């Protein structure tokens, strides 16, 4: 039997080379080494990102990612709030989901959204039947994740029992997916199970039928625990998760995957919008800062702090901003809150990358908070002259995340002297973040759009042109439609450019682009990345006919990469009319096991209860310069799973 893919930082391959690697619960690109991304090929002659294989001695060096590919990694991890179907009316929501456009995706139109009868009487029974019938790894993992995203079941179906029964399977991927699913489902009954697994208690070992709970399973239990606590408003659940996760960091645990999982899970415990849990939030921030000061922290801790606090100007915000500016610029422990004997702050490349990301999550525009002008100046200085290239790019993106007239002016000025093929793609995306907010407010950024039109037509490096197209779409400037339409016509057959051209047209928000994207879908049966992006674009534009086309293609496709793209797109559109055909596919004995598994994954997407992808709280603002296998390996990490 072919083992599951476990090769972090394998080469980014062209779409036609991907079919042999994707597990059915994966199929999206989430992280730097992802062979699972349909269609982000390396440019000719670019170096291949690598990392030591299992058992190979290592000096701790981080894998490298070609800079011309890295902006694509950032986009794939952060794109979801942009590409979701757009509501007719939007309003800002305090908390984590307003980081980009100040809005949440609206509930799908009532005529298209699955109802309780669809979910409880049709979809869940079909998924349970397939889960119990077929022990194939891909079927098992796809069904569990689909049931977890739905998170409810009819009377007589015990979701926790279904997941627990697979903790003792002879396949590691099935075991760790079962642990994760317990948390994604968001049901309080899973709390003692996840605690027992994470703590490696006798009860957890009994669940796994092993002498000890493996560290990988414990890492997935940690992610599950964080996701469960985030969904709950019960202070007792959050506190129990907090105590168990910090025990991992306070102990002698040396497994890197488990420590990173614990830090990232702590960052999920409290959504910034959950005002009733501020005391626990502040406690988590204090403890994460103390861990770092004592030399026991992790490169991901600043990002976890950013997720907990969100944007603001409280005393905690100011303390963290000061700390991260110090890490970014001089590495010295800052200010009056430093304790005698405290170690100098870590200013390694990975630490500076995370500091730049966190500052983009915490700071306010200077016109709203004058004190944060210092943060902007620090990010600008590092973006220009910092030592680590990836940290420089993260600093550039942080300025766009913060926004404001001052940051826009600096980015536009820097654009004029920036290197077109390597620096301008990042500047374009950063400006695109600012422009997207302006477009949402009804004031498209025409000056930026005109700059992007020029560079889109003149850039010599194809990867740069993809970033310009996406940023142009984010401006919402209607006169750009002919330019993007022509760009798609010219590059439709080029995997990454064709796909990003489709997304750009959808981001522009012009309904006139829908027929064109529909034609691209029909022509792209063997081009999975272009197919996925065109289909997602149709969903964003509200095309009512997209689902039928996609399900028909799913039924007849024999390409694994295409199946992944179709399942992703069908799930993202969320049209209940797909349910009968998808259920029929799960029961069709003539379908391949993978075909049935991807049908199950699509059902989970159509019926999931989350407004945005379940792992978005982990993928957004992730430091992919300091990854571990269980976070993302391109196939089975938590950021890779559909």
């Amino acid at each position: 039997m072919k083992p599951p893919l476990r090769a972090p930082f394998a080469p980014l391959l062209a779409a036609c080379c991907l079919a042999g690697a994707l597990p059915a619960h994966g199929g999206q690109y989430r992280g730097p080494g992802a062979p699972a991304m349909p269609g982000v090929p390396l440019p000719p002659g670019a170096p291949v990102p690598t990392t030591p294989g299992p058992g190979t001695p290592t000096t701790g060096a981080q894998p490298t990612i070609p800079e011309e590919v890295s902006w694509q990694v950032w986009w794939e991890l952060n794109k979801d709030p942009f590409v979701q179907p757009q509501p007719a009316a939007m309003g800002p929501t305090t908390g984590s989901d307003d980081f980009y456009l100040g809005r949440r995706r609206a509930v799908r139109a009532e005529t298209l959204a699955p109802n309780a009868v669809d979910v409880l009487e049709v979809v869940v029974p079909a998924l349970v039947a397939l889960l119990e019938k077929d022990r194939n790894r891909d079927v098992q993992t796809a069904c569990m994740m689909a049931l977890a995203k739905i998170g409810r079941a009819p009377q007589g179906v015990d979701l926790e029992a279904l997941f627990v029964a697979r903790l003792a399977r002879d396949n590691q991927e099935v075991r760790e997916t079962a642990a994760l699913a317990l948390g994604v489902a968001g049901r309080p009954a899973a709390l003692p199970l996840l605690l027992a697994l994470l703590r490696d208690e006798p009860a957890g070992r009994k669940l796994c039928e092993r002498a000890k709970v493996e560290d990988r399973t414990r890492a997935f239990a940690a992610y599950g625990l964080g996701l469960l606590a985030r969904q709950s408003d019960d202070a007792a659940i959050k506190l129990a998760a907090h105590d168990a996760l910090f025990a991992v960091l306070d102990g002698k645990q040396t497994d890197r995957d488990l420590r990173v999982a614990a830090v990232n899970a702590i960052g999920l415990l409290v959504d910034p919008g959950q005002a009733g849990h501020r005391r626990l939030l502040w406690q988590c921030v204090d403890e994460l800062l103390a861990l770092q000061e004592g030399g026991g922290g992790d490169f991901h801790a600043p990002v976890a702090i950013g997720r907990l606090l969100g944007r603001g100007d409280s005393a905690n915000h100011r303390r963290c901003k000061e700390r991260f500016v110090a890490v970014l610029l001089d590495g010295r422990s800052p200010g009056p809150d430093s304790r005698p004997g405290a170690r100098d702050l870590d200013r390694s490349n990975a630490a500076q990358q995370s500091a730049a990301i966190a500052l983009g999550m915490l700071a306010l525009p200077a016109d709203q908070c004058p004190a944060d002008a210092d943060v902007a100046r620090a990010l600008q200085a590092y973006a220009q002259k910092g030592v680590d290239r990836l940290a420089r790019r993260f600093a550039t993106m942080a300025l766009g995340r913060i926004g404001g007239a001052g940051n826009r002016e600096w980015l536009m000025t820097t654009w004029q002297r920036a290197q077109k093929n390597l620096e301008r793609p990042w500047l374009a995306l950063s400006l695109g973040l600012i422009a997207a907010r302006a477009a949402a407010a009804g004031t498209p950024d025409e000056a930026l759009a005109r700059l992007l039109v020029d560079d889109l037509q003149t850039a010599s490096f194809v990867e740069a042109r993809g970033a310009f197209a996406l940023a142009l779409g984010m401006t919402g400037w209607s006169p750009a439609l002919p330019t993007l339409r022509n760009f798609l016509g010219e590059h439709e057959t080029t995997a990454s450019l064709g796909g990003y051209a489709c997304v750009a047209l959808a981001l522009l928000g012009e309904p006139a682009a829908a027929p064109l994207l529909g034609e691209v879908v029909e022509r792209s049966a063997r081009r999975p990345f272009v197919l996925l992006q065109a289909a997602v674009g149709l969903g964003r534009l509200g095309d009512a006919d997209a689902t039928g086309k996609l399900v028909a293609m799913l039924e007849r496709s024999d390409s694994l990469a295409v199946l992944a793209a179709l399942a992703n797109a069908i799930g993202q559109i969320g049209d209940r009319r797909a349910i009968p055909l998808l259920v029929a596919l799960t029961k069709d004995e003539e379908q391949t096991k993978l075909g049935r598994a991807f049908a199950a994954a699509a059902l989970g997407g159509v019926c999931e209860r989350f407004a945005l992808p379940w792992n978005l709280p982990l993928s957004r603002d992730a430091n992919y310069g300091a990854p571990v296998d269980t976070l993302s390996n391109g196939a089975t990490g938590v950021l890779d799973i559909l």
Side-chain angles (χ1 to χ4, degrees):
M1 182 180 71
K2 180 181 177 182
L5 178 68
R6 299 248 176 210
F9 309 106
L12 298 174
L13 301 178
C16 61
C17 300
L18 296 174
L22 302 180
H25 74 193
Q28 59 185 321
Y29 179 71
R30 296 293 198 191
M37 184 178 187
V40 179
L42 286 175
V48 171
T50 58
T51 196
T56 303
T58 177
T59 61
Q62 291 294 330
T64 58
I65 306 161
E67 185 172 355
E68 55 270 26
V69 173
S70 184
W71 74 259
Q72 298 174 50
V73 181
W74 185 93
W75 172 256
E76 293 301 324
L77 287 165
N78 291 273
K79 67 182 180 182
D80 287 301
F82 298 105
V83 300
Q84 295 297 328
Q86 295 303 289
M90 297 169 291
T93 301
T94 302
S96 63
D97 286 337
D98 67 352
F99 275 24
Y100 288 88
L101 304 181
R103 66 197 189 214
R104 292 181 185 267
R105 185 180 76 179
V107 177
R108 288 162 288 197
E110 195 61 36
T111 55
L112 300 181
N115 56 41
V117 173
D118 293 327
V119 174
L120 298 179
E121 297 184 15
V122 180
V123 174
V124 171
L127 291 169
V128 171
L130 183 58
L131 180 67
E132 298 284 33
K133 178 181 179 180
D134 196 328
R135 285 176 57 86
N136 173 268
R137 175 200 65 190
D138 295 304
V139 170
Q140 292 281 299
T141 55
C143 288
M144 282 192 288
M145 288 308 301
L147 289 167
K149 288 189 287 186
I150 293 170
R152 51 182 175 153
Q155 188 173 2
V157 174
D158 186 337
L159 289 184
E160 286 72 40
L162 287 171
F163 301 149
V164 165
R166 282 140 185 92
L167 288 169
R169 278 285 306 273
D170 56 357
N171 183 282
Q172 174 64 33
E173 188 180 332
V174 172
R175 295 196 297 273
E176 60 198 33
T177 303
L180 180 64
L182 284 166
V184 174
R187 293 153 60 100
L191 178 65
L193 305 172
L194 288 167
L195 291 173
L197 292 171
L198 176 62
R199 293 168 173 162
D200 188 22
E201 294 176 340
R205 297 171 187 175
K206 183 177 181 181
L207 292 173
C208 296
E209 297 181 9
R210 279 169 168 72
K212 67 183 296 290
V213 183
E214 298 149 311
D215 285 338
R216 283 190 63 92
T217 303
R218 294 178 68 195
F220 278 86
Y223 286 119
L225 194 58
L227 290 163
L228 172 63
R230 186 179 186 83
Q231 297 175 67
S232 175
D233 201 42
D234 187 334
I237 290 178
K238 291 181 181 294
L239 185 60
H242 161 275
D243 293 347
L245 291 165
F246 268 104
V248 170
L249 299 176
D250 289 340
K252 297 180 179 180
Q253 176 57 241
T254 58
D255 181 77
R256 173 81 172 136
D257 275 88
L258 183 52
R259 290 187 64 85
V260 170
V263 169
N264 276 294
I266 289 165
L268 303 178
L269 291 180
V270 182
D271 187 303
Q274 292 178 311
H277 303 283
R278 307 301 289 178
R279 187 178 297 277
L280 178 60
L281 185 155
W282 296 331
Q283 181 181 347
C284 289
V285 170
D286 288 344
E287 290 168 335
L288 287 171
L289 288 174
L291 273 173
Q292 282 204 302
E293 188 175 79
D298 183 86
F299 298 142
H300 294 264
V303 175
I305 290 170
R307 288 171 176 155
L308 287 164
L309 284 176
R311 204 174 305 285
D313 190 41
S314 68
N316 268 315
H317 282 88
R318 291 191 292 274
R319 181 164 58 120
C320 292
K321 292 172 195 175
E322 186 179 55
R323 172 75 61 92
F324 300 148
V325 164
V327 171
L328 195 63
L329 295 186
D330 61 20
R332 294 287 171 179
S333 192
D337 66 335
S338 298
R339 296 198 297 270
R343 299 175 183 226
D344 288 350
L345 296 180
D346 183 1
R347 66 185 301 240
S348 64
N349 291 347
Q352 292 185 323
Q353 292 160 13
S354 290
I357 294 170
L359 288 170
M361 302 164 75
L362 295 168
L364 292 159
D367 50 3
Q368 295 182 32
C369 177
D372 279 355
D374 290 339
V375 175
R377 282 190 288 269
L379 289 167
Q380 292 163 11
Y382 197 93
Q384 285 187 313
K385 298 181 179 179
V387 173
D388 180 62
R389 283 198 307 180
L390 188 55
R392 289 172 63 187
R393 304 312 177 218
F394 286 159
T396 297
M397 297 310 301
L399 292 167
R401 292 278 275 104
I402 297 167
N407 285 334
R408 180 189 178 278
E409 180 181 358
W410 185 89
L411 291 165
M412 292 287 280
T413 301
T414 304
W415 178 284
Q416 302 301 325
R417 59 178 181 269
Q419 206 278 340
K420 183 177 292 188
N421 289 326
L422 294 181
E423 294 175 343
R424 283 193 184 177
W426 291 94
L427 292 165
L429 289 174
S430 185
L431 284 162
L433 299 183
I434 299 174
R437 289 189 285 268
T443 54
D445 191 335
E446 180 178 350
L448 172 61
R450 291 188 180 278
L451 281 178
L452 291 166
V453 167
D454 290 342
D455 272 12
L456 184 64
Q457 296 171 338
T458 60
S460 59
F461 198 61
V462 294
E463 301 305 325
R465 299 179 78 183
F468 300 151
L470 291 170
L472 181 57
M474 283 191 278
T475 67
W477 189 55
S478 297
L481 178 61
T483 298
L484 288 174
R485 185 174 56 221
N486 293 338
F487 183 71
L488 174 59
E490 182 181 354
H491 296 289
E492 181 184 331
T493 58
T494 304
S496 59
L497 282 188
Y500 288 136
C502 291
V503 176
L505 280 165
L507 291 171
L508 200 62
E510 287 293 318
L516 176 58
L517 296 183
E519 294 171 5
V520 173
V521 166
E522 293 176 350
R523 292 194 295 263
S524 301
R526 294 292 173 182
R527 290 177 288 149
F529 186 64
V530 176
L531 170 63
L532 170 60
Q533 304 304 325
V536 167
L538 286 173
R540 187 182 193 277
L541 294 173
D543 184 88
D545 298 324
T547 296
K549 297 175 185 176
L550 297 174
V551 173
M553 294 176 74
L554 182 72
E555 186 174 13
R556 62 178 182 264
S557 177
D558 58 0
S559 164
L560 183 51
V562 171
L563 287 170
L566 290 167
N568 195 338
I570 293 168
Q572 189 159 315
I573 293 172
D575 186 342
R576 69 187 296 268
R577 292 172 296 178
I579 291 174
L581 288 171
L582 292 172
V583 168
L585 285 177
T586 67
K587 299 176 180 179
D588 185 354
E589 295 292 340
E590 295 184 2
Q591 270 291 324
T592 64
K593 291 181 182 295
L594 281 169
R596 291 198 292 274
F598 276 112
L603 281 170
V606 170
C607 298
E608 72 172 293
R609 67 193 187 281
F610 301 107
L612 291 166
W614 66 271
N615 53 11
L616 181 64
L618 285 165
S619 71
R620 183 176 47 204
D621 295 306
N623 183 357
Y624 57 82
V628 294
D629 194 62
T630 52
L631 182 61
S632 178
N633 62 11
T636 58
V638 294
L639 301 186
D640 309 310
I641 299 174
L642 281 174

